[in-house]
Amino acid sequence: MKIVSTVEELRIALPTNQTIGFVPTMGYLHEGHMSLVENARRENDVVVMSIFVNPTQFGPNEDLDRYPRDFERDEKLARDAGVDVLFYPTTETMYPLDMARVTVHHGADVLCGASRPGHFDGVLTIVSKLFNLVQPTRAYFGLKDAQQVALIEGYVRDYFVPVEIRRCPIIREETGLAKSSRNVYLSDVETVEASRIFSALTMAREALDTGQQVDEVKRQLTERLNEIPNSQIDYVELVDYPTLGAVSSDSTELLLAVAIQFERARLIDNVIWKKG
Ligand code: PAF
């Protein structure tokens, strides 16, 4: 595995005439990231991973400074997973002048975008820079960040970026808790309680299967999530997917998405429901 940190080194390390599967990450790798690498390996000649904690997607009062980082551990995991090129740039490399950024036009005013203003502008800005540098054939994103996936797909379509976006399923603990780098902030008790998020989402999906109305499903889901002790609901939403607009009679896929604040961790999770 080649480890590179400058644009020049990356350009030299990238193959020509081979397909590139790209896995962008912010590090502190877990099984969710590993499954993205597995998919990328299967479908491409070469796998490139980036590790960069992107400052522009964190708000002023968010956890940029304490976001978990462990490059030595990540490097070993990436190597063992079969990553060919690991791009580990500095902020100065990724934001040399910081003169231009991408702005989301639609879909950033709901779900995480509503509680984290500017977050998705930061995500699309860094993803756009990384796509330009790596020029991947395919790029792999986990559906735990379903809003991120929808906005990246929209960006790629609107800007005619020649990359195929591959949606990958959420990887969960046996308890149902979605794997996340931020799970390290949970206490043992919170880790147990947090598994109730997925049970509540599963029940909501089943309620949709039985034909219950969206408002009623949302009410019951909110009630169940409110029962999780020492936590607070940030949002509970059912939206059309991947447009992220309001659910209508034409909707064929719904995103049931929630964000729950524990003492030190804000967790997001979701399920996608497809019309019978
Ligand atoms: O999903 C993430 O880890 C980040 O949002 C991404 C896509 C690597 C951009 O910083």
Side-chain angles (χ1 to χ4, degrees), residues 20 57 61 64 83 96 109 113 119 124 185 199 205 236 245 264 267:
I20 299 178
Q57 67 188 77
N61 299 317
L64 172 62
V83 170
D109 52 348
H119 168 69
L124 289 197
Y185 299 148
S199 331
R205 184 171 50 195
V236 177
R264 294 182 62 233
L267 302 187

Short mmCIF file of all heavy atoms in Angstrom, two decimals, residues 20 57 61 64 83 96 109 113 119 124 185 199 205 236 245 264 267:
data_model
loop_
_atom_site.label_atom_id
_atom_site.label_comp_id
_atom_site.label_asym_id
_atom_site.label_seq_id
_atom_site.Cartn_x
_atom_site.Cartn_y
_atom_site.Cartn_z
N ILE A 20 -10.55 2.63 -10.98
CA ILE A 20 -10.23 3.05 -9.60
C ILE A 20 -11.52 3.07 -8.78
O ILE A 20 -12.48 3.76 -9.12
CB ILE A 20 -9.59 4.46 -9.59
CG1 ILE A 20 -8.29 4.47 -10.38
CG2 ILE A 20 -9.38 4.93 -8.14
CD1 ILE A 20 -7.61 5.84 -10.45
N GLN A 57 -16.87 20.83 7.08
CA GLN A 57 -18.17 20.20 7.30
C GLN A 57 -18.54 20.15 8.79
O GLN A 57 -19.53 19.56 9.17
CB GLN A 57 -18.26 18.81 6.66
CG GLN A 57 -17.37 17.74 7.26
CD GLN A 57 -17.39 16.47 6.43
OE1 GLN A 57 -16.75 16.38 5.39
NE2 GLN A 57 -18.11 15.45 6.88
N ASN A 61 -19.58 24.95 16.80
CA ASN A 61 -19.68 24.31 18.12
C ASN A 61 -19.68 22.79 18.02
O ASN A 61 -20.15 22.11 18.93
CB ASN A 61 -20.96 24.75 18.83
CG ASN A 61 -20.95 26.25 19.04
OD1 ASN A 61 -19.91 26.79 19.40
ND2 ASN A 61 -22.06 26.91 18.75
N LEU A 64 -15.01 19.02 15.81
CA LEU A 64 -13.82 18.92 14.94
C LEU A 64 -12.56 18.59 15.76
O LEU A 64 -11.80 17.68 15.41
CB LEU A 64 -13.63 20.23 14.16
CG LEU A 64 -12.33 20.35 13.36
CD1 LEU A 64 -12.24 19.28 12.27
CD2 LEU A 64 -12.21 21.73 12.70
N VAL A 83 -6.35 -1.93 0.61
CA VAL A 83 -6.28 -0.61 -0.05
C VAL A 83 -4.93 -0.51 -0.76
O VAL A 83 -3.91 -0.90 -0.21
CB VAL A 83 -6.44 0.52 1.01
CG1 VAL A 83 -6.12 1.89 0.42
CG2 VAL A 83 -7.84 0.49 1.62
N PRO A 96 -5.81 25.11 -0.27
CA PRO A 96 -4.65 25.98 -0.42
C PRO A 96 -5.02 27.47 -0.30
O PRO A 96 -4.32 28.23 0.36
CB PRO A 96 -4.10 25.63 -1.80
CG PRO A 96 -5.11 24.76 -2.47
CD PRO A 96 -6.02 24.22 -1.42
N ASP A 109 -31.72 21.63 3.58
CA ASP A 109 -32.48 22.35 4.61
C ASP A 109 -33.32 21.38 5.46
O ASP A 109 -34.15 21.81 6.24
CB ASP A 109 -33.37 23.41 3.95
CG ASP A 109 -34.22 22.83 2.83
OD1 ASP A 109 -33.95 21.68 2.42
OD2 ASP A 109 -35.16 23.51 2.38
N GLY A 113 -29.08 18.55 7.62
CA GLY A 113 -28.78 19.89 7.11
C GLY A 113 -29.47 20.96 7.92
O GLY A 113 -28.94 22.07 8.08
N HIS A 119 -23.15 22.18 6.76
CA HIS A 119 -22.45 20.88 6.80
C HIS A 119 -22.31 20.28 5.40
O HIS A 119 -21.21 19.87 4.99
CB HIS A 119 -23.23 19.92 7.72
CG HIS A 119 -22.80 18.50 7.63
ND1 HIS A 119 -21.57 18.06 8.08
CD2 HIS A 119 -23.43 17.39 7.13
CE1 HIS A 119 -21.46 16.77 7.86
NE2 HIS A 119 -22.57 16.33 7.28
N LEU A 124 -19.82 18.47 0.18
CA LEU A 124 -19.72 18.48 -1.29
C LEU A 124 -18.44 19.16 -1.75
O LEU A 124 -17.87 18.79 -2.79
CB LEU A 124 -20.95 19.14 -1.91
CG LEU A 124 -22.25 18.35 -1.82
CD1 LEU A 124 -23.27 18.89 -2.81
CD2 LEU A 124 -22.07 16.87 -2.09
N TYR A 185 -17.85 7.69 21.72
CA TYR A 185 -18.25 8.69 22.72
C TYR A 185 -19.33 8.17 23.67
O TYR A 185 -19.68 8.83 24.63
CB TYR A 185 -18.85 9.93 22.05
CG TYR A 185 -17.95 10.70 21.12
CD1 TYR A 185 -18.50 11.36 20.02
CD2 TYR A 185 -16.59 10.84 21.35
CE1 TYR A 185 -17.71 12.10 19.16
CE2 TYR A 185 -15.80 11.59 20.49
CZ TYR A 185 -16.37 12.21 19.40
OH TYR A 185 -15.60 12.96 18.55
N SER A 199 -34.37 -0.73 16.62
CA SER A 199 -35.63 -1.46 16.83
C SER A 199 -36.80 -0.55 16.49
O SER A 199 -37.78 -0.98 15.84
CB SER A 199 -35.82 -1.93 18.27
OG SER A 199 -34.62 -2.16 18.89
N ARG A 205 -40.78 0.76 9.91
CA ARG A 205 -40.80 0.22 8.54
C ARG A 205 -41.90 -0.83 8.41
O ARG A 205 -42.62 -0.86 7.41
CB ARG A 205 -39.43 -0.36 8.19
CG ARG A 205 -39.36 -0.84 6.75
CD ARG A 205 -37.98 -1.22 6.32
NE ARG A 205 -37.34 -2.11 7.26
CZ ARG A 205 -36.04 -2.38 7.28
NH1 ARG A 205 -35.23 -1.82 6.41
NH2 ARG A 205 -35.53 -3.21 8.15
N VAL A 236 -36.84 13.48 13.79
CA VAL A 236 -37.44 12.23 13.29
C VAL A 236 -38.16 12.65 12.02
O VAL A 236 -39.04 13.51 12.08
CB VAL A 236 -38.48 11.66 14.27
CG1 VAL A 236 -39.14 10.41 13.70
CG2 VAL A 236 -37.86 11.35 15.62
N GLY A 245 -37.45 15.40 -0.60
CA GLY A 245 -38.62 16.28 -0.52
C GLY A 245 -39.74 15.62 0.30
O GLY A 245 -39.57 14.52 0.85
N ARG A 264 -22.51 12.75 24.93
CA ARG A 264 -21.33 13.21 24.17
C ARG A 264 -21.39 12.84 22.69
O ARG A 264 -20.47 13.13 21.94
CB ARG A 264 -20.05 12.61 24.78
CG ARG A 264 -19.77 13.13 26.18
CD ARG A 264 -18.49 12.57 26.75
NE ARG A 264 -17.30 12.93 25.97
CZ ARG A 264 -16.42 12.06 25.50
NH1 ARG A 264 -16.58 10.77 25.69
NH2 ARG A 264 -15.36 12.48 24.84
N LEU A 267 -26.07 10.62 17.39
CA LEU A 267 -26.10 9.47 16.48
C LEU A 267 -27.17 9.67 15.42
O LEU A 267 -28.26 10.16 15.73
CB LEU A 267 -26.42 8.18 17.25
CG LEU A 267 -25.48 7.79 18.39
CD1 LEU A 267 -25.85 6.40 18.91
CD2 LEU A 267 -24.02 7.80 17.96
#
